[in-house]
């Protein structure tokens, strides 16, 4: 950024310094900063748009005296005598009168002059050339860096999410006033007219070809080839409104281009859309035809774009546009099915015909409302309804699902029905259910039935998670997410990524990375079930790392059915020293989760919570059953339980070792598992469980009050960045805005750095980081 000291170096001696920049670029703000830093008197004035023809008005406003406006030489002398050794500052030179512009070089020969000139402007070419010749410096006010724009956005509207800040930074193009306007809009939905007014004034000073080119960029919403914009591009580049690089024209601020497009009257806008439709292809051309009012041509072009789409997401987008332009049920059915394939149930519901009950039920089921899905199927004879009915019943009332598949072949010919039958087999845990789901997914993929293939993959992953087969579930989720990413099926991809992160958090590996990725994922627009898994993963990783306050606030008031949210909230409460809050029951997502809930209840009871877990229920996956049997009066079985958890969840292995040590009064029995628990928790970053192990060791006179590096001391690049900013005295909020991440993510990186460097405080971690560097 152009700092005031940089400008003041050009004002040591008399001379003319010109600051240029587009609308909202911060020229006036920069003038104010320079004036505040000048050691001497400052006389400030400037032009006014409504009085641009008044002779010597900018200078009169500055010196606050009547001036001889009919003679440039006398005018220059009058101003010189009043400014003397001070600084003359003139804003909005684009509205200055001819006499002022002619006198400026004469004035600058004797005094320091700083002026701001907006681009574009209507100064005659010879006048601009004369000013350039007289100027000792001709400086362009640079746009804000990404970090500066992010900081300004947060200062304008505190509390914006990282995703919202990133959107503001991108659309504003680093133009300060655009940053403020977009930040206000993102925060409150409202916006002042400052930016739109300034852009309208600036655009009015462009020639018609340049105005059209800028508006075209706004309507396109993307960089464009120069040939697409016509002859006004050179003028836009000269005015710093557009950058041309590698054969592509990019607006300096996309928001400015959007405002320019919005300034067109309806007839001009339709005509420009029509022209752009002739110059573009595919879905883009269809959108311009629709905006121009040619619905039939737009619908036809959109269907053609869907036919040649290179991904499922592009096909869905094209068909949804076509469906919005026609009443043809065939098109609307195809659009709804395409939307469901990429995980967009709300869009599918919007275009589904009234008589397409199966499609409507599918959309409701994918939205997470199986009861409404079953209601939509009550009176239908649609042959596709059976598959959806089975899946919806399985979600709403699993006990009734088996009756629906009675009499059906074990491997139906229809791939969708085969997927539903395999899902019921998985729920019953029939022998070979994994193969049934996997083979059904393969068959659906071969039959180009992507929707059924994804349902199979989802049922497989969820069942594996429920059974505590976390490694298999994580691998399956990662593979399914990659397949969805290839088709740009973001909604489905988000589901699988969220489950993958949950498996990693529960297993207790890579907590720093899990917390970072889960927080970033949860900041996005997600299906409810994906949000539940992402929030659970983030909160559990944070709680284990010692950030219990952040973890609990993240889950405060959150209720997501068919997700681990309730158990993680109870677990975080126990870790935070409130065992009575760890006994709350939640939705069943079993058999693993009910077992974990009972294990947490045992710990809460051990820590003083009244009541404790009910008797019985020592069932579930082998590690769960072994752990609950140990809690039921066989503490010697905790060693076997820890071994059973080793390949499943490190955190539960740690808790079994802790229980074995804490429940034994004999040091010979208690100390070895406590030492093992401390070492394992420390290496995995489970700060609170490691601390609990040390407390147990102190009861046996084993002092573990030492702190050393908990890894090889190597920091990730982002951890180094965060700790360097900590060393500079930056608070968490500032670090978050500079790096474009959330405050929780910053705290996670600080905690990770402290652990790796063996530091007690963030300051110590920063100091050790500098030593390493």
């Amino acid at each position: 950024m152009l700092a005031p000291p940089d400008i003041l170096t050009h004002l040591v001696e008399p001379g003319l310094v010109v600051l240029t920049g587009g609308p909202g670029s911060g020229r006036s703000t920069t003038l104010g900063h320079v004036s505040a830093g000048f050691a001497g008197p400052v006389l400030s004035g400037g032009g006014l748009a409504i009085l641009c023809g008044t002779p010597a008005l900018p200078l009169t406003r500055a010196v606050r005296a009547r001036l001889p406006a009919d003679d440039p030489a006398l005018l220059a002398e009058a101003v010189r005598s009043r400014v003397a050794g001070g600084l003359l500052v003139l804003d909005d030179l684009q509205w200055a009168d001819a006499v002022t512009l002619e006198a400026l070089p004469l004035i600058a020969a004797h005094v320091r002059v700083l002026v701001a000139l907006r681009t574009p402007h209507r100064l005659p070419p010879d006048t601009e050339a004369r000013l350039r010749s007289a100027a000792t410096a001709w400086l362009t006010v640079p746009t804000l860096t990404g970090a500066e724009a992010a900081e300004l956005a947060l200062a304008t509207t505190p509390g914006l999410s990282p995703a919202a800040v990133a959107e503001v930074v991108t659309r504003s193009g680093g133009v300060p006033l655009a940053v403020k306007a977009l930040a206000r809009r993102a925060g409150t939905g409202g916006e002042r007219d400052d930016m739109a007014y300034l852009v309208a004034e600036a655009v009015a000073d462009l020639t018609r070809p340049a105005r059209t080119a800028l508006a075209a960029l706004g309507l396109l919403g993307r960089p464009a080839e120069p040939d697409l914009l016509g002859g006004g591009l050179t003028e836009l580049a000269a005015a710093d409104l557009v950058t041309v690089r590698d054969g592509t024209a990019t607006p300096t601020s996309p928001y400015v281009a959007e405002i320019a497009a919005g300034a067109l009257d309806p007839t001009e806008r339709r005509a420009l859309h029509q022209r752009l439709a002739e110059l573009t292809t595919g879905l883009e051309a269809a959108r311009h035809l629709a905006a121009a009012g040619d619905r039939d041509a737009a619908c036809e072009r959109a269907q053609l774009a869907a036919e040649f789409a290179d991904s499922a997401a592009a096909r869905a987008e094209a068909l949804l546009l076509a469906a919005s332009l026609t009443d043809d049920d065939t098109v609307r059915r195809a659009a709804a099915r395409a939307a469901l394939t990429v995980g967009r149930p709300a869009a599918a519901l919007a275009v589904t015909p009234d008589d397409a009950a199966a499609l409507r039920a599918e959309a409701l089921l994918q939205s997470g409302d199986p009861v409404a899905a079953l209601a939509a199927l009550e009176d239908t004879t649609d042959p596709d309804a059976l598959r959806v009915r089975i899946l919806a019943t399985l979600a709403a009332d699993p006990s009734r699902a088996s009756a629906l598949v009675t009499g059906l072949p074990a491997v139906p010919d229809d791939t969708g029905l085969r997927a539903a039958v395999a899902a019921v087999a998985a729920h019953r845990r029939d022998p070979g259910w994994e193969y049934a789901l996997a083979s059904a997914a393969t068959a659906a993929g071969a039959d180009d039935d992507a929707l059924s293939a994804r349902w199979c993959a989802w049922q497989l992953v969820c069942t594996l998670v429920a059974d505590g087969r976390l490694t298999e579930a994580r691998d399956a989720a990662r593979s399914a997410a990659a397949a969805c990413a290839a088709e740009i099926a973001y909604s489905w991809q988000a589901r699988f990524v969220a489950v993958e992160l949950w498996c990693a958090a529960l297993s207790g590996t890579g907590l720093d990375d899990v917390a970072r990725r889960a927080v970033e994922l949860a900041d996005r627009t997600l299906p409810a079930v994906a949000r539940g898994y992402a929030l659970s993963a983030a909160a559990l990783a944070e709680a284990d790392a010692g950030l219990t306050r952040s973890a609990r606030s993240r889950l405060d008031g959150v209720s997501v059915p068919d997700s681990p949210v309730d158990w993680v909230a109870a677990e975080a409460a126990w870790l935070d020293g409130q065992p009575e809050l760890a006994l709350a029951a939640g939705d069943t997502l079993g058999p693993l989760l009910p077992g974990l809930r009972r294990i947490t209840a045992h710990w809460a009871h051990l820590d003083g919570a009244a009541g404790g877990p009910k008797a019985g229920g020592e069932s579930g996956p082998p590690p769960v059953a072994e752990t609950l049997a140990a809690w039921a009066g066989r503490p010697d079985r905790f060693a076997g339980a820890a071994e059973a958890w080793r390949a499943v969840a490190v955190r539960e292995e740690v808790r079994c070792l802790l229980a074995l040590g804490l429940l034994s009064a004999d040091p010979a029995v208690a100390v070895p598992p406590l030492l093992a628990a401390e070492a394992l928790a420390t290496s995995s970053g489970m700060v609170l469980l490691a601390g609990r192990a040390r407390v147990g060791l102190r009861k046996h006179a084993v002092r573990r009050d030492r702190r050393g590096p908990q890894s090889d001391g190597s920091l990730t690049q982002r951890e180094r960045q965060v700790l360097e900013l900590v060393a500079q005295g930056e608070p968490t909020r500032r670090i978050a805005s500079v790096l474009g991440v959330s405050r929780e993510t910053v705290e996670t990186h600080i905690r990770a750095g402290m652990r790796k460097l063996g530091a007690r405080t963030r300051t110590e971690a920063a100091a050790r980081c500098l030593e390493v560097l």
Side-chain angles (χ1 to χ4, degrees):
M1 184 175 180
L2 196 61
D6 299 328
I7 300 173
L8 287 170
T9 58
H10 298 288
L11 295 170
V12 175
E13 300 291 338
L16 173 64
V17 176
V18 180
L19 297 181
T20 66
S25 61
R27 300 179 316 280
S28 299
T29 301
T30 304
L31 290 184
H33 290 326
V34 174
S35 299
F38 183 76
V42 178
L43 287 77
S44 299
L48 293 174
I50 59 175
L51 297 173
C52 58
T54 304
L57 176 66
L59 296 170
T60 300
R61 293 179 65 201
V63 301
R64 291 176 173 77
R66 183 175 298 177
L67 298 172
D70 54 349
D71 187 329
L74 290 177
L75 175 61
E77 178 58 27
V79 173
R80 183 200 64 77
S81 64
R82 286 170 173 80
V83 176
L87 174 65
L88 175 64
V89 177
L90 299 180
D91 199 0
D92 292 324
L93 196 65
Q94 69 275 5
W95 292 319
D97 61 284
V99 175
T100 297
L101 293 171
E102 188 174 350
L104 267 182
L106 303 175
I107 298 171
H110 303 284
V111 301
R112 302 173 182 86
V113 182
L114 176 63
V115 302
L117 174 64
R118 190 208 64 206
T119 55
H121 56 74
R122 289 188 176 181
L123 299 185
D126 58 337
T127 300
E128 181 180 350
R130 189 163 57 249
L131 290 174
R132 285 183 177 273
S133 177
T136 54
W138 193 282
L139 308 172
T140 299
V141 178
T143 55
L144 301 175
T145 65
E148 291 167 342
E151 182 179 8
L152 179 58
L154 288 170
T156 303
T157 307
L160 285 182
S161 69
V165 171
E167 177 70 11
V168 168
V169 171
T170 299
R171 289 187 61 204
S172 67
V175 175
L177 199 59
V179 171
K180 293 181 179 180
L182 290 169
R184 284 193 294 268
R185 174 185 290 181
T188 64
E191 171 186 13
R192 294 212 307 254
D193 293 331
D194 309 13
M195 191 65 196
Y197 176 75
L198 289 177
V199 171
E201 283 185 331
V203 170
D205 286 343
L206 295 170
T207 62
R208 185 178 184 83
R211 289 199 302 272
T212 302
L214 187 59
L217 282 169
L219 295 180
L220 287 167
R222 62 170 177 84
E225 304 77 20
D227 293 344
L228 199 64
L229 302 176
L233 186 58
T234 302
E235 185 178 349
L236 292 178
D240 295 322
L241 293 173
V242 166
T243 301
V244 181
R245 185 180 294 113
D246 298 329
T248 302
T250 305
T252 302
S253 168
Y255 184 47
V256 169
E258 292 169 19
I259 293 175
L264 298 173
D265 65 48
T267 302
E268 290 176 323
R269 192 177 301 112
R270 284 194 298 270
L272 186 52
H273 273 300
Q274 189 72 47
R275 177 59 178 158
L276 290 173
E278 297 169 1
L279 297 172
T280 55
T281 59
L283 181 58
E284 188 174 25
R287 288 194 175 112
H288 287 300
L289 285 170
D294 194 344
R295 295 173 61 87
D296 293 340
C299 182
E300 182 179 347
R301 187 70 65 88
Q303 291 180 73
L304 187 63
E307 185 177 345
F308 292 98
D310 58 1
S311 70
R315 182 172 184 273
E317 196 69 36
L319 286 174
L320 286 170
L321 176 60
S324 70
L325 299 169
T326 182
D327 294 327
D328 187 334
D329 283 352
T330 302
V331 176
R332 295 170 71 85
R333 284 174 182 269
R337 187 171 296 280
L340 289 171
T341 299
V342 296
R344 299 180 58 184
L349 281 172
V351 299
T352 300
D354 293 337
D355 61 347
L359 277 176
R360 185 173 300 280
E362 179 78 56
L364 290 167
L365 175 61
Q366 200 174 118
S367 299
D369 194 349
V371 175
L374 289 173
L377 295 171
E378 285 182 354
D379 301 321
T380 183
T381 58
D382 191 326
D384 292 333
L386 180 56
R387 177 186 68 85
V388 186
R389 192 187 305 277
I390 293 171
L391 291 173
T393 302
L394 190 61
D397 187 0
S399 62
R400 295 175 48 212
S402 293
L404 295 177
V405 300
T406 301
L408 293 176
V411 183
D413 293 334
D414 180 82
T415 55
L417 196 55
R418 179 177 176 179
V421 170
V424 175
H427 172 72
R428 296 186 307 214
R429 304 302 194 274
D430 292 347
W433 65 266
E434 302 97 324
Y435 174 76
L437 278 175
S439 61
T442 301
D447 196 38
D448 201 25
D449 185 0
L451 183 56
S452 295
R454 283 170 190 149
W455 272 120
C456 286
W458 180 246
Q459 294 291 337
L460 176 63
V461 167
C462 290
T463 309
L464 289 171
V465 170
D467 284 356
R469 297 162 63 177
L470 301 183
T471 301
E472 296 171 76
R474 183 163 49 179
D475 292 342
R478 186 179 294 124
S479 176
C484 293
E487 285 294 313
I488 320 180
Y490 168 72
S491 181
W492 280 104
Q493 179 190 3
R495 289 173 178 238
F496 291 114
V497 170
V499 172
E500 177 192 347
L501 292 170
W502 166 246
C503 292
L506 190 55
S507 66
T509 55
L511 295 183
D512 292 342
D513 184 61
V514 169
R516 175 185 60 79
R517 292 177 58 199
V519 168
E520 290 174 354
L521 183 63
D523 282 341
R524 302 176 183 275
T525 301
L526 300 175
V529 65
R531 180 168 298 281
Y533 275 112
L535 287 173
S536 299
L540 186 61
E542 289 176 333
D544 279 339
L547 301 176
T548 52
R549 180 177 179 182
S550 173
R552 297 183 67 183
S553 65
R554 189 178 301 286
L555 298 180
D556 188 28
V558 175
S559 178
V560 182
D562 296 328
S563 77
V565 165
D566 290 322
W567 173 69
V568 175
E571 185 72 5
W574 171 70
L575 287 168
D576 201 24
Q578 298 189 44
E580 66 281 357
L581 300 180
L583 298 174
D587 293 333
T588 298
L589 192 65
L592 174 65
L593 207 60
L596 290 174
R597 193 173 285 119
R598 287 183 56 78
I599 291 170
T600 298
H602 277 292
W603 278 106
H605 182 59
L606 181 67
D607 288 350
K614 296 179 181 178
E618 283 72 37
S619 61
V624 170
E626 189 71 15
T627 305
L628 292 175
W631 278 111
R634 296 287 305 278
D636 57 300
R637 296 182 64 172
F638 276 119
E643 181 67 28
W645 281 112
R646 182 163 301 166
V648 179
V650 174
R651 69 183 317 278
E652 293 306 318
E653 180 186 358
V654 170
R655 290 212 292 182
C656 285
L657 292 170
L658 276 174
L660 179 59
L662 295 176
L663 295 176
S664 176
D666 183 356
V669 176
V671 170
L674 288 174
L675 288 173
E678 180 202 21
L680 189 56
T682 298
S683 64
S684 300
M686 299 175 191
V687 175
L688 297 181
L689 293 181
R692 183 148 188 156
R694 284 190 282 273
V695 171
L697 287 167
R698 282 197 290 271
K699 291 181 180 179
H700 296 286
V702 179
R703 294 294 174 182
R704 308 294 291 168
D705 190 17
R706 61 179 179 81
R707 183 181 294 263
Q710 298 171 8
S711 70
D712 61 359
S714 60
L715 301 174
T716 66
Q717 181 180 0
R718 182 48 62 89
E719 287 163 357
R720 286 197 300 271
Q721 289 176 327
V722 169
L723 291 177
E724 286 174 8
L725 290 169
V726 170
Q728 295 171 19
E730 299 291 356
T732 298
R733 179 192 61 78
R734 165 69 175 164
I735 296 172
S737 66
V738 167
L739 298 181
V741 298
S742 68
R743 300 183 190 183
E744 292 81 5
T745 301
V746 171
E747 291 292 344
T748 297
H749 288 310
I750 292 173
R751 180 76 64 176
M754 291 171 61
R755 187 181 70 252
K756 290 181 178 180
L757 297 173
R760 295 176 182 272
T761 66
R762 56 191 280 158
T763 304
E764 182 183 356
R768 294 194 180 191
C769 175
L770 294 180
E771 291 175 4
V772 171
L773 293 176

